[in-house]
């Protein structure tokens, strides 16, 4: 075989050789890599939450018009809307503002006391041993069991109503904060002690931020219970409020009024919970969890 001819089949690399001292663009290899969106999936899927309630309302409306259900027992949504419109002309906003004021006042008192005692019990074994048995026993008392006692103590003005709502909001927030503090990683505490942080600084800079997710869960649960306890609170000789509308609708055999009051409670509860959820998202934006995972 002719060696000179076979040599012509040897591939030759004709690309220019980069000098070893030439600068290399470190970002050239990654400049076209798409960056994952930081927008949570829940924002783009928010429309899914409307399917079930709208389907249920549509089914009730159709069933009432076709006679499948008795309208006197379960009025169609169109009739409830008409009732809300009539109540609006009769001072519905007064009832709503009275209920909102009671819920916010009771919730603020209950949440403040819950955070105070939660910090005390969560950070001190002696406080836990002293308060925990009593709080667990009080937590088991039903809301309606407090009504006659509060009437005897405070009369029939606003005080027993706000007190009952505060009791309802206290325990979920207290339990959430205590649970969050107890579940703080011990290594974080030891690291703070190594850096010489005092007890107040340790609680402010390490314990509280780590317990925030559990605290917000307790705050949202406490707000939900505050709206639930509102109905029991407004049974205490109330002359205005959404709970009063429920009682009035029952006594006058007006299921449309009862459903209108239930709708208002659901709407106000959802709006206030959405506000807390928005605040939770902003305050916990630093957390690396499944809820903050982008798609």
């Amino acid at each position: 075989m002719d060696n000179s001819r076979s040599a012509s089949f040897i591939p030759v690399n004709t690309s220019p050789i980069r000098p070893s001292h030439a600068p290399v663009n470190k970002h050239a290899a990654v400049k076209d890599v798409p960056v994952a969106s930081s927008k949570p999936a829940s924002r783009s899927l928010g429309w899914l939450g409307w399917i079930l309630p709208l389907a249920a309302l549509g089914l009730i409306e159709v069933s009432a018009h076709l006679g499948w259900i008795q309208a006197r027992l379960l009025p169609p949504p169109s009739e409830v809307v008409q009732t809300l419109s009539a109540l609006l002309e009769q001072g519905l906003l007064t009832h709503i503002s009275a209920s909102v004021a009671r819920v916010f006042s009771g919730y603020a008192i209950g949440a403040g006391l819950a955070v105070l005692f939660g910090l005390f019990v969560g950070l001190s074994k002696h406080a836990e041993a002293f308060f925990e048995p009593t709080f667990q026993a009080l937590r088991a008392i039903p809301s309606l069991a407090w009504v006659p006692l509060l009437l005897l103590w405070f009369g029939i003005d606003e005080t027993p109503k706000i007190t009952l709502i505060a009791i309802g909001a206290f325990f979920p927030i207290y339990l959430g904060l205590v649970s969050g503090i107890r579940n703080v990683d011990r290594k974080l505490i030891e690291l703070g002690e190594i850096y010489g942080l005092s007890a107040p600084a340790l609680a402010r800079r390490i314990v509280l931020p780590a317990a925030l997710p559990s605290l917000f869960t307790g705050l949202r649960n406490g707000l939900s219970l505050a709206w639930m306890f509102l109905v029991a609170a407004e049974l205490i000789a109330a002359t205005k409020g959404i709970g009063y509308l429920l009682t009035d609708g029952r006594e006058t055999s007006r299921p449309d009024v009862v459903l209108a009051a239930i709708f208002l409670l659901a709407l106000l509860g959802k709006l206030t919970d959405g506000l807390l959820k928005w605040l939770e998202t902003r305050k916990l934006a630093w957390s690396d969890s499944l809820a903050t995972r982008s798609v």
Side-chain angles (χ1 to χ4, degrees):
M1 181 181 293
D2 187 357
N3 292 335
S4 62
R5 180 175 297 179
S6 61
S8 63
F9 291 96
I10 300 175
V12 179
N13 184 7
T14 59
S15 59
I17 300 176
R18 184 187 300 272
S20 59
H21 62 275
V24 179
N25 187 359
K26 297 181 180 180
H27 303 285
V30 297
K31 65 179 180 180
D32 294 329
V33 177
V35 180
S37 173
S38 60
K39 182 179 181 180
S42 58
R43 295 183 182 178
S44 60
L45 299 178
W47 59 273
L48 285 175
W50 291 95
I51 295 179
L52 183 59
L54 291 178
L57 292 175
L59 181 60
I60 295 173
E61 184 75 26
V62 172
S63 300
H65 284 290
L66 294 179
W68 295 347
I69 59 176
Q70 299 183 21
R72 65 181 182 86
L73 297 179
L74 185 60
S78 58
E79 183 178 342
V80 176
V81 171
Q82 294 176 2
T83 301
L84 284 171
S85 178
L87 290 174
L88 193 60
E89 298 177 356
Q90 300 171 10
L92 178 61
L93 294 180
T94 302
H95 294 286
I96 294 176
S97 60
S99 294
V100 170
R102 288 165 182 158
V103 168
F104 282 4
S105 299
Y107 181 74
I109 295 172
L113 291 175
V115 171
L116 179 63
F117 280 99
L119 287 173
F120 193 29
V121 171
L123 296 174
S124 172
K125 292 292 184 181
H126 293 85
E128 177 184 358
F130 184 79
F131 287 108
E132 189 70 6
T134 302
F135 284 162
Q136 292 301 329
L138 292 176
R139 186 169 67 92
I141 300 176
S143 60
L144 291 178
W146 291 101
V147 173
L149 184 61
L150 294 177
L151 282 173
L152 291 174
W153 283 355
F154 303 113
I156 59 174
D157 58 359
E158 292 297 306
T159 304
K161 302 176 181 63
I162 295 175
T163 302
L164 184 60
I165 296 172
I167 292 173
F170 175 87
F171 292 105
I173 302 172
Y174 164 80
L175 290 175
L177 181 55
V178 171
S179 175
I181 292 175
R182 290 174 180 170
N183 290 324
V184 173
D185 193 344
R186 187 181 61 184
K187 299 182 183 63
L188 297 177
I189 305 297
E190 294 174 352
L191 182 63
E193 292 174 347
I194 291 174
Y195 278 90
L197 293 180
S198 61
L202 198 65
R204 186 181 71 255
R205 300 182 62 179
I206 294 180
V207 176
L208 281 181
L212 271 183
S214 297
L215 174 59
F216 271 107
T217 300
L219 288 172
R220 294 178 64 183
N221 289 333
L223 182 59
S224 177
L225 274 183
W227 284 107
M228 294 181 187
F229 273 58
L230 171 71
V231 177
E234 291 183 338
L235 294 176
I236 308 177
T239 57
K240 56 184 178 180
I242 301 177
Y244 167 77
L245 289 179
L246 282 171
T247 305
D248 184 63
R250 176 184 58 82
E251 293 177 350
T252 57
S253 299
R254 293 280 306 275
D256 55 331
V257 175
V258 174
L259 287 176
I262 292 175
F263 170 76
L264 289 175
L265 287 171
L267 179 62
L268 292 172
K270 172 58 180 170
L271 290 176
T272 51
D273 180 74
L275 180 62
L276 266 183
K277 186 176 181 181
W278 172 82
L279 182 62
E280 178 184 10
T281 303
R282 288 180 59 89
K283 294 299 182 181
L284 299 181
W286 51 266
S287 64
D288 185 14
S289 61
L290 182 62
T292 58
R293 184 173 66 92
S294 59
V295 294

